Amino acid sequence: MKLMSRTVMARLMFTVFLSASPAYGQTDFTGLKAKTGDIVYVTRATGTTISGPLGAVSSSSITVNQETIPYEPGLKIAREGDRLWNGTIIGAGIGVAAGMTIGAEACLDDSIVPCAIGGAVVWAGLGALVDWLHKGRTNIFQAPRANKPSVSLVPAIGFDRKKVDLVLSF
């Protein structure tokens, strides 16, 4: 039973990590994850970068610093920083796992729940601290480059199939 649950958890983690592709392959600005007034950094395919507050957003163009930027292949848009809650959640997840495994020696005679909760609280604080100190940029939009070949792995896991498809695009 334990072996089966570990296998299922490994497959789930594999699927989650491979299916997470937040900002790639968008064909217009309708799904842009930024609000008017947010500071954004737009990098064109030529390498030039424009930064400033985000103005109007339409499906085919955006306005940054009173300059209208049309959709073009290879365009990247990033915003400053990162949300604090995702570092907290990641840290709490690590803390629960660490509390139930590494910290379980402290709970030999009692329930393992206090060890899991304690680990979650400590590691959630560490995750929030790391996120708070992070001053980088988060990529929120990336248009595919014209005629750029790509390779990706797509998990295909179900009750009757367990495989990974290799997808080539050119």
Side-chain angles (χ1 to χ4, degrees), residues 88-153:
T88 305
I89 290 173
I90 292 169
I94 292 170
V96 167
M100 291 175 61
T101 56
I102 300 167
E105 287 185 26
C107 297
L108 289 178
D109 297 329
D110 294 327
S111 171
I112 201 164
V113 173
C115 289
I117 292 173
V121 169
V122 169
W123 283 89
L126 287 172
L129 178 65
V130 168
D131 243 358
W132 181 67
L133 293 173
H134 181 251
K135 302 293 183 203
R137 297 179 185 168
T138 302
N139 193 19
I140 58 172
F141 180 88
Q142 184 168 351
R145 291 189 174 271
N147 301 327
K148 180 184 174 193
S150 66
V151 178
S152 62
L153 293 174

Side-chain angles (χ1 to χ4, degrees), residues 51-66:
S51 64
L54 180 65
V57 178
S58 71
S59 62
S60 61
S61 67
I62 61 170
T63 303
V64 175
N65 249 0
Q66 273 53 20

